[in-house]
Amino acid sequence: MLDAFIYDFGYPWPLSYGHLLVAIVFGLLGVAGWRYRWRSVITAVAAAVALWGLTGSYIVHHIVRLNRPVDLPTERFLSTGSGRVLDLGAGTGRSALMVLRSRRGATVTALDIYSGHFGIEENTPDHLMANAKVAGVADRIDVKVADMRHIPLGDATYDAVVSVAAIDHLRADDVKTALGEAARVLKPQGELLLMNINVDGWIRTAFPWMHGHGYFGRPQDAPRWRSMIANAGFDIVEEGTRPATLYFLGTKRARIFN
Ligand SMILES: C[S@@+](CC[C@H](N)C(=O)[O-])C[C@H]1O[C@@H](n2cnc3c(N)ncnc32)[C@H](O)[C@@H]1O
């Protein structure tokens, strides 16, 4: 619970606390309506909007975990507990901390372009390192400022690649390129854990106006992701959903045919 307040991942306050503000304002209106006997329809609407605000706030903080390190969706990922991991689109560290907190023998290279706007304020390496210090894992992380479409790292040098809510910002052709780069830097049998925001009931409830976080700006298209991952040279060993999340776990094929 408290880790919602100890980290600062830079997501803007309307996204973090907008629902709570709506709950408070409409909750007060509802109470005033009830106290001063306004028309019951006004009181009922105010109460319903307040309830939606409370639900949305719960979803943002406990389901989407906007202000917390992300939860690992599968224990099969890096099950040895150690290895070199590359985080593509690491931002301010929610995904890198997911790996470092759950896999105590792992190190992470946090790669991000750190330019343009992707929903994070002050998206910088310093911001990420501040969160790593709070988590006590700063000695196991290094930062690489780079584009995931041209990763300036050697072939077959990483045991795993993760990407959370990042690769789906790219256009379809660029997704292909980035997945190809992920395959290149992975050792044979290296793991790919891809996690994208899934426009499921939780997301639709909290953000009814959100049309998707997927490439082409549409809701996630699981079959399409599946074939792109396979075409990049991975065998998908697990696929699933967690609330607000669609994930794929793949391993790099020994030889890539395509
Ligand atoms: C929504 S944030 C997600 C950050 C983090 N993974 C998380 O879950 O909070 C998307 C990140 O992808 C990064 N990004 C977008 N395009 C990129 C590219 N071509 N190469 C590297 N990083 C990129 C952005 O800078 C941003 O930090």
Side-chain angles (χ1 to χ4, degrees):
M1 174 69 199
L2 283 180
D3 57 358
F5 301 101
I6 64 173
Y7 296 106
D8 169 17
F9 291 112
Y11 287 99
W13 79 261
L15 205 55
S16 297
Y17 300 108
H19 292 89
L20 193 60
L21 187 67
V22 168
I24 292 170
V25 170
F26 281 85
L28 289 174
L29 268 179
V31 170
W34 170 75
R35 171 77 178 76
Y36 297 109
R37 298 177 188 283
W38 294 349
R39 285 176 58 190
S40 54
V41 64
I42 296 177
T43 309
V45 168
V49 176
L51 194 62
W52 170 79
L54 268 186
T55 311
S57 184
Y58 173 83
I59 293 170
V60 165
H61 294 286
H62 295 269
I63 303 294
V64 177
R65 298 177 68 88
L66 202 64
N67 299 320
R68 294 176 163 162
V70 186
D71 269 341
L72 194 64
T74 170
E75 282 307 316
R76 286 172 78 177
F77 173 73
L78 211 65
S79 56
T80 58
S82 61
R84 295 189 74 200
V85 181
L86 177 64
D87 182 1
L88 297 181
T92 41
R94 280 188 336 138
S95 38
L97 295 197
M98 166 187 82
V99 174
L100 292 169
R101 288 177 6 136
S102 61
R103 299 294 178 254
R104 296 281 166 179
T107 58
V108 169
T109 299
L111 182 146
D112 201 290
I113 199 163
Y114 290 119
S115 73
H117 187 74
F118 294 92
I120 300 176
E121 285 162 1
E122 276 184 63
N123 196 15
T124 61
D126 285 351
H127 203 157
L128 176 139
M129 286 310 293
N131 285 316
K133 279 186 191 128
V134 170
V137 298
D139 56 333
R140 291 192 284 129
I141 189 166
D142 64 288
V143 181
K144 190 94 195 159
V145 180
D147 189 326
M148 67 172 98
R149 294 167 294 184
H150 311 282
I151 300 175
L153 297 167
D155 297 358
T157 42
Y158 282 86
D159 299 291
V161 168
V162 300
S163 189
V164 178
I167 214 165
D168 60 352
H169 281 292
L170 304 181
R171 293 173 325 138
D173 276 357
D174 292 335
V175 171
K176 248 181 170 169
T177 308
L179 288 174
E181 282 288 85
R184 181 183 63 75
V185 299
L186 278 174
K187 298 173 184 170
Q189 293 300 308
E191 298 176 26
L192 170 75
L193 177 62
L194 191 62
M195 295 168 64
N196 291 326
I197 289 183
N198 192 24
V199 184
D200 59 8
W202 295 102
I203 292 288
R204 280 187 212 283
T205 301
F207 303 105
W209 56 86
M210 181 176 174
H211 296 300
H213 201 264
Y215 52 91
F216 311 123
R218 293 206 300 261
Q220 302 296 350
D221 180 343
R224 198 151 193 159
W225 280 110
R226 212 174 287 137
S227 75
M228 289 181 108
I229 293 168
N231 288 340
F234 295 95
D235 290 322
I236 295 174
V237 295
E238 186 176 324
E239 170 186 342
T241 55
R242 292 283 176 268
T245 303
L246 170 70
Y247 74 91
F248 298 90
L249 178 65
T251 53
K252 178 179 168 176
R253 268 180 235 125
R255 290 185 60 202
I256 299 173
F257 305 95
N258 75 314

